[in-house]
Amino acid sequence: MSLLTHVMDHSLDEGYAEASARRESDGTAGLPRTLKAKLGLAAGLVLAAMVVTLGAAQARVAAPVLAKERQELIDRVDRADARADGLERDIETLRGAVADRQRAALKQHGGDQGELVALLSGATEVRGPGIKLMVDDAKGASTGNGTKPRESAGFSDTGRLRDRDMQKIVNGLWQSGAEAISINGQRLTSLSAIRAAGDAILVDNRPLVPPYEVLAIGDKKRLGTTFQDSADGQYLHVLQESYGIRYALSAEDQVRLPAASSLTVRTATAAEQQKGAS
């Protein structure tokens, strides 16, 4: 009977009574649950709007400062570029002055053969009949390793013209009677070096880009025929037949070769006769 009396006297659980009292103290006891959720969402949106507004205001304040700093950097870069361009022009001017003095020295000290010395050294521009030899890599040439060794076990063919090939071509033209030679507008001298840097061919440390235009001044009728009949001309033919290297040779009534961009002037003296020599 005591249990039934307790249940009748305390029909509402104490926990429910406590939660109802807490809602009444918060002032939300009479609000539906959906309305409370909407109020919370509205409060969040208001807070987000305040944050965005504050950020936009700060950005507007900082924008002039950032724009000024950016323009200062642009101005510094422009001034540096202008200085670099000026230095390059000064270098070209000085290089031209040095080349002019070297050419004058060759003519002055060459005596009766001054013009010939200047020609052979590449100090002067030359024009005259000759031949034009266009040489290009094979179609679809790549930089990857091939399967056909060409000149040594470690030298794989990739369908590209190599520096060794260009050396043979140039030497063959000299031996065939060429008086002056240029490759892609670069004049060759007696001190010119043809080397390689990776797959690129360098002439006097300047890279060449295929196709290669080789111009040679000489007897246009004999020069081309003599070269093709020479060992180096036959070598070029083998490159075409076996490795796909492309070339075309034509006689020209007039070709122009520029002066060498840089010259190295050297002097020689007679060796002193050794004592006791007959």
Side-chain angles (χ1 to χ4, degrees):
M1 291 299 292
S2 60
L3 177 60
L4 291 175
T5 302
H6 178 76
V7 170
M8 294 298 292
D9 293 339
H10 302 85
S11 58
L12 184 63
D13 188 88
E14 288 84 353
Y16 288 107
E18 182 180 355
S20 177
R22 187 165 55 251
R23 287 197 300 272
E24 290 178 357
S25 64
D26 294 340
T28 60
L31 296 176
R33 182 171 299 177
T34 56
L35 181 57
K36 290 188 291 184
K38 291 180 179 179
L39 290 176
L41 178 60
L45 291 175
V46 170
L47 180 60
M50 292 176 62
V51 172
V52 172
T53 303
L54 181 60
Q58 291 179 345
R60 284 196 299 270
V61 172
V65 178
L66 295 176
K68 182 179 179 181
E69 293 178 353
R70 180 176 180 275
Q71 188 60 44
E72 289 178 353
L73 289 175
I74 293 174
D75 293 340
R76 289 175 58 185
V77 171
D78 291 340
R79 289 194 297 269
D81 289 342
R83 286 196 298 270
D85 293 340
L87 291 175
E88 288 182 359
R89 288 192 295 269
D90 293 342
I91 291 173
E92 290 299 327
T93 301
L94 293 173
R95 182 179 289 121
V98 171
D100 291 340
R101 293 188 179 187
Q102 288 177 337
R103 295 185 185 98
L106 287 172
K107 293 180 180 180
Q108 179 181 357
H109 298 286
D112 296 337
Q113 302 295 320
E115 292 294 335
L116 179 59
V117 171
L119 170 64
L120 297 178
S121 64
T124 58
E125 175 184 314
V126 291
R127 300 173 182 267
I131 63 171
K132 179 171 70 174
L133 177 62
M134 298 297 300
V135 188
D136 200 356
D137 297 334
K139 291 184 178 179
S142 64
T143 57
N145 291 330
T147 57
K148 297 180 180 180
R150 193 192 312 180
E151 296 189 14
S152 66
F155 190 80
S156 59
D157 172 64
T158 59
R160 289 180 174 270
L161 193 76
R162 303 291 187 172
D163 58 320
R164 306 178 189 183
D165 306 330
M166 185 61 74
Q167 290 172 4
K168 288 181 175 293
I169 292 171
V170 170
N171 289 335
L173 289 172
W174 286 126
Q175 293 175 359
S176 300
E179 300 173 5
I181 300 175
S182 70
I183 305 175
N184 284 14
Q186 294 191 45
R187 179 76 172 275
L188 300 183
T189 69
S190 58
L191 300 177
S192 294
I194 300 176
R195 295 289 183 266
D199 288 315
I201 298 178
L202 306 181
V203 173
D204 292 334
N205 294 323
R206 296 188 177 185
L208 303 180
V209 178
Y212 307 102
E213 182 185 65
V214 183
L215 299 178
I217 288 183
D219 188 331
K220 67 176 184 179
K221 295 181 179 180
R222 293 183 52 197
L223 181 57
T225 303
T226 305
F227 171 73
Q228 289 181 310
D229 293 339
S230 67
D232 295 315
Q234 293 299 316
Y235 174 83
L236 180 59
H237 183 69
V238 170
L239 293 183
Q240 182 187 50
E241 294 295 326
S242 301
Y243 304 102
I245 299 296
R246 295 169 289 172
Y247 78 92
L249 189 148
S250 61
E252 302 290 331
D253 294 330
Q254 187 82 309
V255 294
R256 172 187 171 274
L257 276 61
S261 57
S262 61
L263 295 174
T264 301
V265 179
R266 298 179 179 178
T267 58
T269 57
E272 295 183 0
Q273 186 175 8
Q274 296 182 358
K275 294 182 179 180
S278 56

